[in-house]
Amino acid sequence: MTHPFLDLAPLSAARFASIEDRVARLLHTRQDVVIMQGEALLPLEGAIRGTAGPGTTALNVITGPYGQTFGDWLRDCGATVIDLAVPFHTAVTAGQIRQAFRRHPEIDFVSLVHAEAATGNTNPVAEIGEVVREQGALFYLDAVASVGAEPVLPDAWGVDLCVIGAQKAMGGPAGVSAVSVSERAWARMAANPRAPRRSYLSLLDWKERWVDAGRKALLHAPAQLEMLALEACLERIEAEGLDAVMARHRQAALAVREGVAGLPGLEPYVYEVRDAAPVATTLRVRDGLVASEVVARALAADPSVPLAAGGGALAAEMIRVNHYGACASEEAVRASLAALRSAV
């Protein structure tokens, strides 16, 4: 018995490299792009452990749960961490970043999440990148939720480590991810005695054995099905056009905010449109409603809608409309609003 997903010829190094090149074009970057064989937490953690150590002073921006995780990793590496936390219903500003540098001129590493799908906010990376570049700090960016929904431009923004995943706005697989790495970031890793080596977390292994070796032989057997799915995902984005994909996400986000205005007991969680992420819209419940109960009723009415309650403590007050990928559509937004209307 044969199966189209199982009986495939091994993925060649050339095919793997061609997929990396497509990711680089998506990001408009000339930096090295490495596709890693795991969900985006793999390069997110690997990039921090590769570049941070006891001599690092890191400004860690917290606009949602992932920022908190990055701070934990940085401390585990021995870095001195300065947390800059802002309310989850807003975004950090370049002015706040500049003030942090004034108070702590020793900062040499900045970690930031571009868009927080969990809280529905997005941060002005272009403006923040300008400040970070002025100070000469290394800039680490989690763009997993934003890529495909809004511009992600590591070169133009001065981002040294830009991590993406395909499972949200790109509409692709979760099992592989990618990171673009600047020459400054490679140099920081090479000088870091604590950077992982001979490890699944090691970006330096990929540089020495893959990038510097001309991308002729893979380090290990790739996640073949996920790589082919990523390739198909990139082909689909190229066929539709990245601008059109981003426009779908913007339109979906605006439509949800407009539609919620007529629903009792619900309001946008992120106050300002400029701070709202196009990948997902979060809603705050009021008038005695409980978010998890509203979502449960909505899903009972229509199990297909992309609704979820907030995580952890936010389960009581937050609803997420996950209008990303294929769900960044007028049909998905209409169905979500109808299910919410029924539930409230």
Side-chain angles (χ1 to χ4, degrees):
M1 177 182 179
T2 62
H3 194 287
F5 291 160
L6 302 178
D7 302 314
L8 298 169
L11 191 72
S12 69
R15 183 82 169 271
F16 193 106
S18 73
I19 300 171
E20 283 185 338
D21 292 340
R22 282 182 131 144
V23 173
R25 288 195 294 272
L26 179 74
L27 298 176
H28 301 282
T29 185
R30 294 179 178 272
Q31 297 178 3
D32 291 326
V33 169
V34 177
I35 296 179
M36 299 194 76
Q37 304 298 284
E39 198 270 337
L41 283 173
L42 174 62
L44 285 169
E45 182 174 358
I48 282 181
R49 295 194 182 278
T51 52
T56 303
T57 300
L59 175 63
N60 180 52
V61 182
I62 301 176
T63 58
Y66 281 100
Q68 295 169 329
T69 297
F70 300 160
D72 291 340
W73 287 339
L74 286 161
R75 290 182 178 89
D76 191 50
C77 290
T80 299
V81 181
I82 299 156
D83 285 326
L84 172 56
V86 302
F88 289 177
H89 62 262
T90 185
V92 72
T93 67
Q96 290 172 305
I97 302 293
R98 195 180 299 278
Q99 288 174 6
F101 273 108
R102 286 175 183 154
R103 290 192 297 269
H104 302 279
E106 69 276 18
I107 292 168
D108 62 358
F109 185 101
V110 175
S111 53
L112 175 71
V113 178
H114 187 182
E116 288 267 12
T119 51
N121 55 27
T122 192
N123 293 301
V125 182
E127 299 168 21
I128 292 169
E130 186 175 340
V131 176
V132 176
R133 191 162 51 242
E134 289 172 2
Q135 303 299 322
L138 205 73
F139 193 10
Y140 162 101
L141 183 69
D142 172 353
V144 174
S146 55
V147 65
E150 53 189 305
V152 175
L153 303 168
D155 291 12
W157 297 343
V159 178
D160 295 287
L161 294 155
C162 182
V163 177
I164 68 166
Q167 68 267 32
K168 288 190 168 64
M170 289 176 65
V176 289
S177 48
V179 55
S180 66
V181 188
S182 73
E183 288 300 325
R184 292 198 323 147
W186 284 133
R188 180 79 71 98
M189 287 184 221
N192 181 9
R194 294 194 175 194
R197 302 306 305 268
R198 295 168 296 281
S199 163
Y200 210 56
L201 286 169
S202 177
L203 283 167
L204 280 176
D205 288 355
W206 279 98
K207 176 169 174 53
E208 293 179 2
R209 296 171 56 193
W210 172 248
V211 177
D212 292 349
R215 300 193 298 178
K216 301 296 185 185
L218 290 163
L219 274 64
H220 47 73
Q224 178 147 310
L225 293 180
E226 287 80 1
M227 287 297 295
L228 294 175
L230 176 60
E231 183 180 50
C233 158
L234 292 163
E235 289 174 350
R236 189 164 60 181
I237 291 172
E238 291 164 1
E240 183 178 355
L242 180 58
D243 288 343
V245 175
M246 292 190 294
R248 278 198 292 109
H249 286 81
R250 286 195 303 272
Q251 291 161 4
L254 290 172
V256 171
R257 290 180 75 92
E258 292 171 2
V260 165
L263 296 182
L266 297 178
E267 62 186 9
Y269 185 85
V270 177
Y271 296 166
E272 302 292 339
V273 173
R274 69 172 181 272
D275 296 337
V279 69
T281 298
T282 48
L283 308 174
R284 188 189 308 273
V285 300
R286 47 188 173 78
D287 301 338
L289 295 174
V290 177
S292 57
E293 295 175 1
V294 173
V295 169
R297 290 197 294 270
L299 291 175
D302 185 350
S304 70
V305 294
L307 299 176
L314 295 173
E317 66 170 338
M318 179 192 287
I319 295 172
R320 260 193 356 255
V321 185
N322 294 316
H323 46 68
Y324 53 71
C327 290
S329 68
E330 183 179 348
E331 294 76 18
V333 169
R334 283 182 179 174
S336 297
L337 291 171
L340 287 171
R341 185 176 297 109
S342 171
V344 300

